[in-house]
Structure formats: structure tokens, C-alpha cells
């Protein structure tokens, strides 16, 4: 550095520095200009797309789920809207702490936290997860007032599902629940992922499951402009959602409640079918459960109570429990005898006290079954020996061949999921069923017990009711169904479910009438006479008893056998006798003789259906309680 | 006796004489631009900003009326007051956002570091003015100490952004005073090497457990965010990502005034202050950005011209430093907003909302005017 420079030298040096500064400044400004060019011209398309992506969100508009009515228009499943408190996990750093903060404002129980954690694990996309449902107006106000301090916390009005009948017909209606990973996989398989964007619930059982597609509806789309806070500020375009279709059932909820009440606290099932249409009038299974518990995720305690109960309330006994039909099989066996020509109406058998087969003795000591037993008498008094002989004369193949078209041993195709197929015994079935050679062999003695509805026979109450209806129809087999109409509320169209028989059996009318007449006498003077003695209409029926436990060489004495090992009580029947409007099958587990437990239940249901007699039932009171609760 | 009569027009002329028409024209153009942008970015602040404009222009005019010699004479008390206040901040200061920057005087809160942005270059210019014609290497050491004292006080607050700007303001004076290239070049090389290291090894350096020692955690965050804004798209990186989207989506001609979606849907943070340039670039496009760059270029050229022609060493240094300070503010702000510099809280000169920075800058413009007036006066 020069010392003692002249002012002129100083000035020259300074001006050089100024030139350097100007160059530096223009270099930097040029750098900025280049950066702007890169962003605004070269990569403009990219940033334009980013800005649009920022700005526009495509939001699903969840359709309103279809409601379910019974045949008289009474609501069985409906929607209502309520406020929920939700947390959007993608916008909250620590959800647990946010819940702690919220707990200071509204009540949040341990149960709510547990459910939140579970739902958080199951939640899909970046959806908000509910912490509390059914907020009161005051709670909503308290949260909204503090919302600025609670980012990621939302109060939303959501539609909820409600089953006003509570446990009544719960097995039929089923329930919905939050979509879980398994449901998601199924939705994807069906290629419906787009339609379920934004849906939280899906049918899990019953009609809610089998008619999921119809009930769900079509999801709409809204294009909205959103701000940085993620809030929609302007609607750009929208395709409205189409509500799901309503279901109109053939089921009569009052009849259903009558059936449930008649079963009382016992384990059992009632299936009532309108023979002319195959429509199910009542399909009861007791004990039942409250489907409302499931809608928002059932609590562990409630679930344990249901799943640990020895009575298995979740089980739909009407379509899943298959038991030997006992003597209720005899009308079908009799028809098989007539149709095959192995029996005629006037054929009589005497000395029927014991039936011997291959050295085995099958006794029937009932006095009415000893002498002059024709087909009519064999049904009225339920004579076993007549059917032992008939089974042997027909042979197992012929029996199976005759029974199969009635739907025995195969799923009826009812529109409720979870049906069991039961067992129609035959040599083929046995070969397929067992693996050991000696078990695969069909023994002649087995045919004998099949003839009276015991042995390997196992049918569901629905199969029996539907087979009875087919016989009453003279051979027209319907696929039984609970839904009568699917009502598309958007287009105002109604789709009728199964109005036509799926097959016709070539039965001769005189054979059918002979069996029907014998069944009428069962209710008039036979095994069920006492139950129907004062009925102001004519009834046809047949009692049955299914052995739960075979007592080798001992006489079955009801009082001495523990309750769970008692025989199951069956009854099938129809009324009015000359023009059946209702065909019914009743099962009471461990109910003993058919006339003892099952037939009285059928009587109550028939009274209710044919006479409209109001039934004093607990179910009615429960219903009112629920209604009162909902009002609050 | 006519000369003794005070002519009203003559008084006005005398009062307006120091106003440099070029600087005023460009300044008014920039303030007009600010007004237009503010109406879009934050209409509720337009009225207040108008008051700021008036105060700043008055301050500029007042300073322009003071001759450079008197300005430089004020350097020592101003500088000393600044240092005392900075010490006061350390002892009595109020904390906000993890840093002690404010000092409460009872009636108002002041930020002494803001004062230093002017006091320091003024002080250094005064010092060199005293040594005009006999500059020695030792003078630069003295100047370096004068620079280091307030700088150190600001660094410990800690306020990295302001200390860098204050350091730059002082360094510009040293540079124009003729600091040896032998000193400038190594420092520049070390800085460039440091930046290259950060960019090159950013992944390792930005790991959460890695302590940088030199910088505080929030400063490290700013640098790391710049290196990879996507790391933290909802936090610190959000600002940079959204402002680059705003600028890029503006395109050549922009989306139109009041039609910037990024601006109006609140994607741009602090859109009326530090990020007002994103609003400009989104709504007026590259054309609008170039107009702004041109306005700044003209302003800076006028500043350099005044510096180059200034009659005394002190006024020369002051003019050069003031011009470079304006440039630094503009460059750092636009560089930050467009994603080539870390997020530092620097307003865009004359455009951002806020009174303090605007008044400070306009005092600088006033100094330029005063220096230009002194040259013309010397010629007359």
C-alpha cells in the first residue's frame, strides 16, 4: 500500500474499486435474472402444475347410504347426522398430546382413546380419525372456540347408521363398520376403490353386507380451491353423489318380533316364508345382539361378552345351524315314496312294533303305529317303523336324488350371507367327507336312520322352511329372499328380487295333497293337536325331535339328561291349510319334543300373521326404550 | 437591498435544491411499485404503509439538507450511542424467538443493530476522512477494530442475518478505502470454499445430531433447508418451496394483478414483508421482475456515479458503502426468495412492508443526495 498518496491517486484508486463494485453488482443481478429465467420460463410448466396442484383438491362427496324398510314401511336401518371430533394425523405431530389437550375441553374416555389408536392404525389415505362421536352442541361450541389453538383438529358433521329395532332381526339386517384393511383389499379387488374414496363405512354382515353395492351409492366429486391451511375456499365444479338404493324387505318386523319373543330366552330359530313368492316373512335367531354396538367399533368388553357367551348370540341359527330334521323329514320321505311308486296311499302295514334290519332291531312302541298303518296314519302319529321300511325300499341313492332338488344339503341362495349347506347324506357324500376307508363305506343301517330324519341328515331351519314351501307350491322352488324391492331413489326405479321360481319339481298334485292332508291331521288329531286345538284357522304341520346324544341301550329320559344334551325340538307347518299363506320352520335347541317347544312358537307366529293378534312381547318394550334414547 | 428580502420561492428552491431528481424518480417508482403490490398482498396495510412512505421521504429530505461534513461529524456520537445500546441489549434486552435484539426504552422498543447499519459505515468513513492523504496499513487495523466491536455484540445476540449485513456495510467501506487485494482474495476464497463444503457435504452436515459449533441450531436449519427444502416440506422448507412455486408459476407475464393463487390462497408466508417479491414475480411474471431489477440497477448506478464524483474521501466512502448496502439488501432478499440463498430475515428495499427498514434506507438515499449536492455546491 502506497503511503502519502496524492488525492488524485486516491481518487483513481477509488474509481477502480467502484468499477469492480459495479461489475460485481451486475454479476449478481445477472445471476438473479438467470435464476428468474430458470424458474419462470424454463421450468414454468412444472411450477405451474405445482401451483395448480396446490390450489385444487379433488374431494370425494360421500353418498348417503340407502335405508332399509320392512314390508310395511317400518324403518330397520336409517341414517342420522351427528358431530364428531376428529384428528387429522398428517397435520398433528403427536396425536396423543393433542388428545390430552382435547381431554381438558371435552370428556374423552379411555375407551375413546383405545378406539382412536386402533382406528389410527387402520386408517387409510390421510384421513382424519374420530376421537369422539356424538358431540353435544355445547361440546362443539367449546371446541370451535379454541380451534385456533388446535391445528389438525376438526369437528365434522357425519352420517351415522342406526338400527332402531336394536337386536330384533339383527342377524338379517346385519351392520356396518369402519372400513379396515381386509375390506380395502376386497374393494380393490372389485375395482371400486374410486367409489369408496371418502367412505368410512362398509357392510360387515347381513343385508348390509350382501346388498353393499346397492346400499352404498355412487360417490360424487367436488373440485375445490384450497388454501395453505387445507381449507376449501371455493367450489370449482362438482358431480353430486348418488344416494344408495333403499331396500324394501319381505320381512314383517312385527312378525319377526313376535317370533323372537316366542322363542324367549331359548336358543333357537324361526323361518317363515310366503310360499307363493319365496319371500321371507320372518327369520329369527335367538339370542341376538345389538348391531348398533358395531357401527363405531365395538368395545373390547362388549365384544368379549358376545363372543364368550356359550349361547353364541352372533350365530345366525336360521341359516347356519344344521341339525338332523328328525320327524319333520317324514312328509318329504312320504312324498318320495309316493312319487317313486314304492308306496301307494292305501298300502297298509301291520305288526309294526319292531323293524328288523340285518340283525338290528329298531322298535316303535306307539300304540297307533302297530296295526293298519298307512301313509296318512304314519305321518299323523309319526310312526318310525313305516319310514324305516320305506327308506330301505327306496335306497339311499333314491332318497338323496329325490331330496336334492328341494334344496336339502345345498345352500338355498338366500340373500343373507353366511349360509351353511347342511348335509344330504349319500354314499358319494360319505366318500368325500371321510378319509379313512372303513368310514367311507355306506352301511345299510345308516339308510334306516336317514329315513326318520336322524343319522347324518343335517339341515338348516331355512332349508326346511323353503323345502316345505316348495312342496306347498306343488313343486315350484323359489330362492328364498328377504329383500322384495331395491328402490333406486335417484332414478325412482324399483328392482324386484326373485319374483319367479328358480325350478319346478314334477310332483303329482294328488301326492302333494295327500301329504298335506296328513299334515293337517297332525295339527288336528296328531302329535301337535294340543298346540293348535283352539286355532281359528286350519293348520298343517309336523313335529320333530333331533337327537343330540345317542343313548346306547338306555331309555331317553328328559329330566335325567343335562340341558345341553337334550334333544332339539323341531316343527314345520303351514296355514291356512287349504291356501297356505305362511310356511314355517321352528327350531328350539335342546327343547325336547317338537310338540313341547317348537310347535307353540309356530302357533304364536301364525296367530300373529293370520289374525294380526298383537303379541305381548319384550321386544316391543325394548323398541320403545331405544326410541326414547334416540330422541334425547 | 433586495438580497436581504426573503423570497418565498427562493426559500422553497433552497430547500428543494439538495433533492437529486434521478434518485427521487427511481425511489418514487419503487414506492409506487410497493403500493401496487401491497394492495394485492395485504390491502389492509396499504394505509399504514403510506404513512411509512411519508415519514421515510421526510427523513430522506431532512438528511439531504445536512452537508456531508456535518453528517460525518455526527458519526462518533452516533457510533458510541449504538455500541452503548448494543451492550444495553445484552444486559437488559428483551428476548423474542430465541434471540435478544430489542431494547425497551419505556416509550418504544428499538433494535440497536438497525442503527448500526448506518452508524458503522458512517463511523468508518469519518475515520478514513480524518486520515485522508496519509492512509497506512495500521489505519485498516483500527478500522477493523471499529468494525469488530459492534459486530461481535450483534453476533452474540444472536442475530446472524443482521451481523452479516452490518459486517458487509463495514467491509464495503474498507474495500472502497483501498484494502489490499492480498487480504480480500484469501477471505473471499475461504468463504467460497466454505460454501462449497456445505453444498457438497450437506447430507452429513445436516444430520440432526451433527453440531456445527460455529452456528446455532436455527441457523444450521436455515442453511440445511436451503440445501434440501423437501426435507421439511411443512416446516421451514415450506417457505422456500412455496415461494419458488409462486415465482415459477408466474411465468413470463405473470398471472395478473390480484390473481396470484399462491398469494391469495396464503401459500406464501409473510407475503407483505420478506416474501413480497414472490407476490411480484407471481402476479407480474418475469417481465415484472426484470422491471424491478432494472429500477434497482438504475438506482445503484446513480449511487456509484455520486460516489465516484464525490469531492472528499469520507463522502466517497460513505456513498459507495450506502449504495452497496442497498444492493446487498436487494440481492439477499431476492436470492432467498428464489431459493439460492438461505432464509434470512432481510426485507426487499423500498418494497417490503415495514417502517424501520424503509426509514433506514431512505436516510441512506438522503446521504447520497447530500453528497451529490455538496459536489455541485463545490463546483458553483
Amino acid at each position: 500500500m502506497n503511503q502519502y498518496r496524492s488525492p488524485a491517486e486516491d481518487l483513481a484508486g477509488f474509481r477502480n474499486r467502484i468499477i469492480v463494485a459495479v461489475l460485481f453488482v451486475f454479476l449478481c443481478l445477472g445471476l438473479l435474472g438467470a435464476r428468474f429465467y430458470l424458474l419462470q420460463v424454463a421450468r414454468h410448466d412444472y411450477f405451474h402444475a405445482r401451483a395448480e396442484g396446490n390450489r385444487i383438491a379433488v374431494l370425494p362427496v360421500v353418498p348417503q347410504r340407502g335405508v332399509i324398510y320392512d314390508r310395511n314401511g317400518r324403518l330397520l336401518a336409517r341414517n342420522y347426522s351427528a358431530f364428531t371430533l376428529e384428528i387429522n394425523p398428517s397435520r398433528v405431530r403427536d396425536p396423543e398430546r393433542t388428545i390430552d389437550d382435547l381431554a381438558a375441553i371435552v370428556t374423552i374416555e379411555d375407551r375413546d382413546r383405545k378406539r382412536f389408536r386402533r382406528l389410527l392404525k387402520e386408517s387409510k389415505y390421510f384421513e382424519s380419525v374420530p376421537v369422539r362421536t356424538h358431540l353435544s352442541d355445547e361440546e362443539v361450541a367449546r371446541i370451535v372456540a379454541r380451534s385456533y389453538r388446535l391445528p389438525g383438529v376438526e369437528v365434522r358433521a357425519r352420517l351415522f347408521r342406526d338400527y332402531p329395532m336394536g337386536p330384533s332381526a339383527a342377524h338379517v339386517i346385519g351392520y356396518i363398520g369402519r372400513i379396515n384393511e381386509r375390506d380395502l383389499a376386497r374393494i380393490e379387488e372389485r375395482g371400486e376403490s374410486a367409489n369408496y374414496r371418502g367412505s368410512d363405512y362398509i357392510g360387515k354382515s347381513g343385508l348390509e353386507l350382501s346388498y353393499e353395492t346397492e346400499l352404498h351409492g355412487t360417490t360424487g366429486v367436488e373440485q375445490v380451491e384450497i388454501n395453505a391451511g387445507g381449507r376449501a375456499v371455493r367450489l370449482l365444479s362438482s358431480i353430486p353423489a348418488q344416494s344408495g338404493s333403499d331396500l324394501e324387505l319381505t320381512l314383517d318386523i312385527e312378525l319377526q318380533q313376535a317370533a323372537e319373543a316366542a322363542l324367549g330366552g331359548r336358543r333357537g330359530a324361526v323361518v317363515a316364508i310366503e310360499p307363493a313368492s319365496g319371500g321371507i316373512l320372518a327369520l329369527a335367531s335367538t339370542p341376538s345382539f345389538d348391531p348398533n354396538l358395531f357401527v363405531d367399533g365395538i368395545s373390547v368388553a362388549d365384544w368379549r361378552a358376545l363372543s364368550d357367551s356359550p349361547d353364541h348370540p352372533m350365530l345366525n341359527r336360521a341359516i347356519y345351524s344344521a341339525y338332523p330334521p328328525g320327524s319333520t323329514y317324514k312328509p318329504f320321505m312320504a312324498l318320495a315314496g309316493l312319487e317313486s311308486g314304492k308306496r301307494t296311499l292305501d298300502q297298509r302295514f301291520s305288526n309294526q312294533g319292531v323293524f328288523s334290519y340285518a340283525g338290528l332291531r329298531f322298535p316303535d312302541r306307539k300304540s297307533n303305529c302297530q296295526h293298519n298303518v298307512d301313509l296318512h296314519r304314519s305321518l299323523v302319529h309319526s310312526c318310525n317303523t313305516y319310514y324305516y321300511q320305506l327308506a330301505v325300499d327306496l335306497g339311499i341313492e333314491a332318497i338323496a336324488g329325490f331330496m336334492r332338488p328341494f334344496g336339502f344339503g345345498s345352500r338355498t341362495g338366500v340373500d343373507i350371507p353366511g349360509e351353511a349347506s347342511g348335509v344330504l347324506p349319500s354314499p358319494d357324500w360319505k366318500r368325500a367327507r371321510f378319509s379313512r376307508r372303513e368310514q367311507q363305506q355306506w352301511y345299510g343301517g345308516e339308510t334306516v336312520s336317514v329315513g326318520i330324519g336322524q343319522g347324518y341328515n343335517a339341515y338348516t331351519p331355512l332349508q326346511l322352511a323353503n323345502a316345505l314351501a316348495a312342496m306347498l307350491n306343488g313343486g315350484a322352488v323359489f330362492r328364498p329372499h328377504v329383500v322384495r324391492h331395491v328402490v333406486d331413489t335417484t332414478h325412482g326405479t324399483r328392482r324386484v328380487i326373485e319374483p319367479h321360481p328358480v325350478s319346478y319339481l314334477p310332483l303329482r298334485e294328488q301326492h302333494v295333497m295327500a301329504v298335506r292332508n296328513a299334515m293337517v291331521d297332525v295339527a288336528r288329531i296328531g302329535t301337535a293337536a294340543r298346540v293348535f286345538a283352539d286355532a281359528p284357522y286350519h293348520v298343517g304341520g309336523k313335529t320333530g325331535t333331533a337327537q343330540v346324544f345317542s343313548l346306547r341301550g338306555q331309555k331317553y329320559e328328559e329330566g335325567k339328561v343335562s340341558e345341553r344334551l337334550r334333544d332339539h325340538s323341531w316343527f314345520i307347518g303351514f296355514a291356512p291349510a287349504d291356501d297356505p299363506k305362511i310356511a314355517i320352520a321352528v327350531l328350539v335347541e335342546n327343547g325336547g319334543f317338537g310338540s313341547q317347544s317348537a310347535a307353540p312358537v309356530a302357533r304364536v307366529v301364525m296367530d300373529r300373521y293370520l289374525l294380526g293378534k298383537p303379541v305381548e312381547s319384550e321386544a316391543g318394550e325394548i323398541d320403545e326404550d331405544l326410541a326414547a334414547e334416540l330422541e334425547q | 437591498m433586495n438580497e436581504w428580502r426573503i423570497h418565498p420561492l427562493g426559500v422553497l428552491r433552497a430547500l428543494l435544491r439538495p433533492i437529486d431528481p434521478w434518485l427521487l424518480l427511481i425511489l418514487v417508482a419503487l414506492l409506487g411499485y410497493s403500493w401496487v403490490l401491497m394492495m394485492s398482498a395485504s390491502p389492509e396495510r396499504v394505509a399504514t404503509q403510506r404513512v411509512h412512505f411519508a415519514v421515510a421521504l421526510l427523513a430522506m429530505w431532512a438528511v439531504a439538507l445536512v452537508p456531508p461534513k456535518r453528517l460525518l461529524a455526527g458519526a462518533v456520537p452516533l457510533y458510541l450511542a449504538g455500541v452503548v445500546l448494543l451492550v444495553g441489549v445484552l444486559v437488559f434486552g428483551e428476548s423474542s424467538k430465541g434471540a435478544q435484539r430489542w431494547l425497551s426504552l419505556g416509550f418504544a422498543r428499538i433494535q440497536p443493530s438497525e442503527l448500526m447499519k448506518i452508524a458503522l459505515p458512517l463511523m468508518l468513513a469519518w475515520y478514513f476522512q480524518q486520515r485522508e492523504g496519509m492512509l497506512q496499513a495500521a489505519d485498516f487495523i483500527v478500522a477493523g477494530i471499529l468494525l469488530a466491536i459492534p459486530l461481535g455484540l450483534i453476533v452474540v445476540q444472536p442475530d446472524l442475518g443482521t451481523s452479516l449485513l452490518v459486517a458487509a456495510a463495514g467491509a464495503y467501506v474498507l474495500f472502497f478505502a483501498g484494502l489490499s487485494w492480498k487480504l480480500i482474495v484469501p477471505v473471499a476464497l475461504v468463504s467460497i470454499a466454505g460454501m462449497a463444503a456445505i453444498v457438497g457435504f450437506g447430507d452429513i452436515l445436516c444430520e440432526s445430531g451433527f453440531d456445527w459449533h460455529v452456528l446455532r441450531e436455527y441457523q444450521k436449519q436455515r442453511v440445511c433447508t436451503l440445501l434440501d427444502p423437501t426435507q421439511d416440506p411443512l416446516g421451514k422448507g415450506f417457505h422456500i418451496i412455496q415461494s419458488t412455486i409462486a415465482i415459477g408459476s408466474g411465468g413470463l407475464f405473470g398471472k395478473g394483478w390480484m390473481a396470484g393463487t399462491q398469494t391469495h390462497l396464503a401459500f406464501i408466508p409473510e407475503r407483505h414483508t420478506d416474501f413480497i417479491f414472490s407476490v411480484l414475480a407471481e402476479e407480474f411474471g418475469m417481465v415484472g421482475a426484470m422491471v424491478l431489477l432494472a429500477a434497482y440497477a438504475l438506482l445503484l448506478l446513480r449511487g456509484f456515479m455520486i460516489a465516484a464524483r464525490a469531492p472528499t474521501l469520507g463522502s466517497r466512502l460513505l456513498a459507495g458503502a450506502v449504495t452497496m448496502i442497498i444492493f446487498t439488501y436487494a440481492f439477499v432478499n431476492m436470492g432467498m426468495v428464489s431459493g439460492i440463498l438461505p432464509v434470512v430475515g432481510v426485507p426487499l428495499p423500498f418494497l417490503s412492508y415495514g417502517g424501520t427498514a424503509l426509514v433506514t434506507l431512505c436516510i441512506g438515499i438522503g446521504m447520497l443526495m447530500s453528497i451529490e449536492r455538496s459536489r455541485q455546491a463545490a463546483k458553483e
Side-chain angles (χ1 to χ4, degrees):
Chain A
M1 197 172 304
N2 301 326
Q3 294 180 17
Y4 304 112
R5 286 180 308 182
S6 69
E9 275 178 313
D10 263 356
L11 188 60
F14 177 76
R15 287 189 173 162
N16 284 338
R17 294 274 161 128
I18 288 284
I19 290 168
V20 171
V22 169
L23 290 177
F24 177 71
V25 162
F26 275 80
L27 179 75
C28 287
L29 292 183
L31 191 66
L32 284 177
R35 176 71 176 168
F36 299 158
Y37 178 83
L38 176 74
L39 294 179
Q40 298 190 287
V41 178
R43 301 186 65 197
H44 169 66
D45 290 345
Y46 167 76
F47 284 112
H48 178 74
R50 287 285 303 269
E52 289 295 294
N54 255 350
R55 179 171 87 89
I56 294 168
V58 177
L59 302 177
V61 184
V62 182
Q64 189 157 335
R65 196 173 176 84
V67 296
I68 302 177
Y69 300 101
D70 87 333
R71 69 186 294 132
N72 299 316
R74 291 192 56 181
L75 265 173
L76 307 182
R78 66 182 175 192
N79 307 308
Y80 66 98
S81 104
F83 287 109
T84 61
L85 176 61
E86 305 185 2
I87 291 180
N88 192 330
S90 63
R91 296 182 52 218
V92 170
R93 203 150 283 185
D94 181 1
E96 291 292 334
R97 260 194 43 204
T98 308
I99 296 179
D100 289 341
D101 295 345
L102 287 171
I105 307 170
V106 296
T107 347
I108 292 173
E109 287 170 23
D110 234 29
R111 222 172 65 106
D112 298 319
R113 283 175 189 263
K114 279 186 197 149
R115 188 183 55 194
F116 175 81
R117 272 176 226 140
R118 195 182 64 233
L119 293 177
L120 189 63
K121 262 186 260 161
E122 290 175 358
S123 72
K124 51 178 189 150
Y125 314 126
F126 285 94
E127 276 195 342
S128 46
V129 178
V131 183
R132 262 284 312 275
T133 54
H134 303 86
L135 296 172
S136 69
D137 289 349
E138 197 200 319
E139 287 174 319
V140 170
R142 263 186 280 166
I143 295 160
V144 169
R146 291 164 177 81
S147 60
Y148 66 96
R149 278 197 287 147
L150 301 163
V153 172
E154 296 164 1
V155 172
R156 284 215 212 165
R158 289 217 184 225
L159 280 179
F160 284 89
R161 196 68 156 171
D162 168 54
Y163 303 102
M165 299 301 166
S168 192
H171 296 101
V172 177
I173 301 160
Y175 51 83
I176 61 170
R178 291 188 74 88
I179 294 175
N180 61 27
E181 279 165 37
R182 260 212 326 266
D183 299 321
L184 266 188
R186 259 206 308 273
I187 290 167
E188 243 160 73
E189 222 170 86
R190 293 207 306 256
E192 289 210 66
S193 299
N195 199 27
Y196 278 81
R197 283 284 304 271
S199 295
D200 295 320
Y201 296 99
I202 194 167
K204 299 278 187 179
S205 78
L207 295 173
E208 294 274 29
L209 172 60
S210 54
Y211 287 89
E212 169 63 27
T213 314
E214 287 84 355
L215 288 165
H216 179 268
T218 310
T219 298
V221 175
E222 269 182 0
Q223 274 204 332
V224 293
E225 194 167 74
I226 56 165
N227 65 11
R231 274 184 211 293
V233 291
R234 194 155 63 99
L235 182 66
L236 299 176
S237 73
S238 74
I239 305 166
Q242 288 180 15
S243 299
S245 298
D246 295 342
L247 300 184
E248 230 178 69
L249 307 190
T250 57
L251 194 100
D252 179 337
I253 192 64
E254 288 179 11
L255 191 67
Q256 173 86 15
Q257 285 170 344
E260 286 162 356
L263 283 168
R266 296 171 293 184
R267 298 175 302 283
V270 173
V271 177
I273 292 180
E274 185 178 59
S277 66
I280 291 171
L281 300 168
L283 192 140
S285 175
T286 53
S288 188
F289 59 92
D290 184 356
N292 293 303
L293 294 176
F294 287 84
V295 174
D296 271 299
I298 188 164
S299 71
V300 176
D302 286 340
W303 173 249
R304 205 159 278 158
L306 285 176
S307 63
D308 290 356
S309 163
D311 291 342
H312 303 297
M314 299 294 294
L315 179 70
N316 187 351
R317 292 175 158 80
I319 65 169
Y320 192 77
S321 286
Y323 293 115
S327 300
T328 60
Y329 207 41
K330 285 173 181 164
F332 301 97
M333 284 297 294
L335 196 58
L338 292 170
E339 286 288 313
S340 64
K342 295 282 182 190
R343 290 290 181 276
T344 59
L345 286 169
D346 44 13
Q347 235 174 334
R348 287 165 196 276
F349 296 83
S350 288
N351 295 319
Q352 292 276 298
V354 177
F355 173 75
S356 299
Y357 180 84
L360 293 166
R361 292 162 61 82
F362 296 87
D364 189 336
R365 298 194 180 83
K366 288 198 280 282
S367 60
N368 286 318
C369 294
Q370 307 286 340
H371 299 288
N372 281 332
V373 180
D374 62 1
L375 186 130
H376 188 87
R377 175 176 268 203
S378 76
L379 277 174
V380 174
H381 299 292
S382 203
C383 300
N384 285 343
T385 42
Y386 185 93
Y387 292 93
Y388 292 143
Q389 185 66 53
L390 176 58
V392 172
D393 290 352
L394 282 166
I396 187 65
E397 298 280 10
I399 295 171
F402 180 80
M403 297 299 178
R404 191 170 291 119
F406 279 91
F408 288 114
S410 55
R411 294 189 180 90
T412 61
V414 69
D415 48 1
I416 309 169
E419 196 186 359
S421 59
V423 176
L424 175 65
S426 71
D428 286 343
W429 167 80
K430 219 183 165 194
R431 257 195 303 282
R433 169 69 180 76
F434 295 103
S435 52
R436 288 222 306 271
R437 173 63 65 81
E438 63 270 27
Q439 285 180 313
Q440 289 180 328
Q441 170 80 37
W442 183 267
Y443 297 100
E446 292 170 339
T447 309
V448 176
S449 48
V450 163
I452 59 159
Q454 308 289 355
Y456 292 118
N457 280 313
Y459 307 120
T460 65
L462 176 64
Q463 282 172 335
L464 272 170
N466 201 44
L468 175 61
M471 185 168 81
L472 296 170
N473 285 333
V477 183
F478 285 91
R479 176 181 299 176
H481 50 92
V482 184
V483 175
R484 184 157 57 167
H485 294 122
V486 175
V487 185
D488 184 335
T489 44
T490 315
H491 301 104
T493 56
R494 298 160 77 86
R495 182 157 65 86
V496 183
I497 300 292
E498 306 290 351
H500 306 296
V502 289
S503 65
Y504 291 95
L505 306 181
L507 302 176
R508 289 179 63 182
E509 204 191 334
Q510 71 183 104
H511 294 158
V512 172
M513 286 316 293
V515 173
R516 270 176 63 170
N517 288 336
M519 288 175 77
V520 171
D521 278 349
V522 168
R524 199 169 59 84
I525 53 170
T527 49
R530 224 166 356 137
V531 178
F532 293 98
D534 56 348
Y537 47 87
H538 291 296
V539 181
K542 184 74 195 78
T543 56
T545 307
Q547 290 166 4
V548 170
F549 181 70
S550 64
L551 300 142
R552 294 259 158 79
Q554 289 173 29
K555 196 173 180 300
Y556 173 85
E557 277 181 80
E558 200 181 274
K560 289 189 179 168
V561 184
S562 88
E563 203 252 331
R564 293 272 162 174
L565 295 176
R566 254 187 245 165
D567 292 343
H568 297 322
S569 174
W570 277 106
F571 181 82
I572 63 171
F574 56 90
D578 49 349
D579 180 21
K581 297 274 185 253
I582 180 169
I584 193 167
V586 178
L587 165 74
V588 179
E589 283 183 19
N590 313 113
F593 293 118
S595 54
Q596 220 173 350
S597 310
V601 173
R603 170 74 199 270
V604 170
V605 175
M606 286 176 176
D607 281 355
R608 186 74 188 76
Y609 189 62
L610 297 173
L611 309 174
K613 194 159 108 185
V615 178
E616 292 160 23
S617 72
E618 290 170 22
E621 289 164 31
I622 290 168
D623 181 33
E624 278 168 27
D625 288 347
L626 271 177
E629 238 178 75
L630 282 166
E631 291 291 328
Q632 285 165 10
Chain B
M1 296 293 113
N2 232 0
E3 295 98 279
W4 294 100
R5 288 254 307 276
I6 296 168
H7 198 279
L9 264 178
V11 171
L12 192 63
R13 204 176 295 142
L15 287 174
L16 289 179
R17 192 164 292 155
I19 301 294
D20 180 60
W22 294 107
L23 286 176
L24 186 69
L25 195 69
I26 300 165
L27 182 61
V28 167
L30 285 169
L31 294 182
Y33 214 167
S34 171
W35 193 334
V36 168
L37 289 172
M38 205 58 66
M39 285 170 79
S40 176
S42 183
E44 69 277 11
R45 289 191 174 86
V46 169
T48 325
Q49 186 69 347
R50 271 203 306 257
V51 177
H52 293 159
F53 287 170
V55 172
L57 286 171
L58 277 174
M60 175 197 78
W61 185 39
V63 171
L65 283 170
V66 182
K69 207 178 279 179
R70 298 272 286 281
L71 284 175
L72 289 169
V76 179
L78 207 59
Y79 176 82
L80 289 176
V83 170
V84 168
L85 286 174
L86 280 175
V87 173
V89 165
L90 281 186
V91 182
F92 311 107
E94 290 176 12
S95 297
S96 115
K97 293 182 190 170
Q100 271 188 327
R101 293 171 190 173
W102 298 90
L103 191 64
S104 179
L105 296 180
F107 57 93
R109 287 201 319 168
I110 60 163
Q111 209 176 348
S113 51
E114 196 65 32
L115 176 67
M116 263 303 160
K117 285 175 187 167
I118 288 180
L120 181 65
L122 200 61
M123 178 67 196
L124 292 175
W126 173 84
Y127 177 77
F128 283 116
Q129 175 71 54
Q130 305 309 306
R131 309 288 299 159
E132 187 171 16
M134 43 183 173
L135 275 183
Q136 295 176 0
D139 293 319
F140 285 94
I141 294 169
V142 174
I145 293 167
L146 289 175
L147 168 61
I149 293 167
L151 188 59
L153 290 169
I154 299 171
V155 167
V156 296
Q157 281 184 355
D159 185 349
L160 187 72
T162 307
S163 47
L164 278 176
L165 290 170
V166 169
Y172 291 140
V173 180
L174 297 187
F175 170 77
F176 285 124
L179 186 65
S180 169
W181 286 110
K182 286 175 203 158
L183 271 171
I184 298 171
V185 172
V187 169
L189 284 179
V190 167
S191 311
I192 291 168
M195 276 193 258
I198 288 172
V199 173
F201 301 100
D203 296 350
I204 306 163
L205 294 172
C206 288
E207 269 173 35
S208 57
F210 200 91
D211 191 353
W212 284 19
H213 299 293
V214 200
L215 298 183
R216 307 241 173 171
E217 186 61 28
Y218 82 99
Q219 296 161 345
K220 171 188 158 185
Q221 278 299 322
R222 284 179 178 178
V223 177
C224 291
T225 302
L226 175 77
L227 293 175
D228 187 4
T230 56
Q231 283 281 315
D232 187 14
L234 291 176
K236 299 212 155 66
F238 184 82
H239 295 353
I240 292 181
I241 292 173
Q242 294 303 339
S243 78
T244 39
I245 289 174
I247 295 168
S249 66
L252 200 53
F253 298 106
K255 296 175 186 171
W257 187 46
M258 304 264 196
T261 55
Q262 291 283 101
T263 303
H264 289 278
L265 298 171
F267 284 98
I268 301 175
E270 301 173 44
R271 58 183 184 274
H272 58 284
T273 56
D274 291 359
F275 283 83
I276 193 145
F277 180 76
S278 335
V279 178
L280 182 154
E282 185 185 26
E283 300 199 342
F284 300 120
M286 188 164 169
V287 172
M290 285 302 158
V291 168
L292 182 70
L293 284 189
Y296 280 136
L298 287 175
L299 184 76
L300 297 174
L301 280 177
R302 181 66 186 162
F304 286 129
M305 195 186 285
I306 289 169
R309 295 192 303 199
T312 64
L313 177 61
S315 56
R316 247 180 258 156
L317 296 180
L318 188 60
V322 164
T323 308
M324 283 304 285
I325 289 168
I326 294 172
F327 157 75
T328 308
Y329 272 54
F331 178 70
V332 169
N333 178 279
M334 287 187 283
M336 157 188 92
V337 169
S338 63
I340 54 175
L341 292 177
V343 177
V344 186
V346 175
L348 187 62
F350 310 112
L351 267 74
S352 285
Y353 175 85
T356 314
L358 186 62
V359 170
T360 310
L361 286 160
C362 282
I363 287 173
I365 297 286
M367 288 173 168
L368 287 178
M369 289 179 170
S370 153
I371 292 163
E372 174 64 7
R373 171 69 197 134
S374 73
R375 182 186 68 87
Q376 287 167 3
K379 248 177 19 182
E380 286 161 13

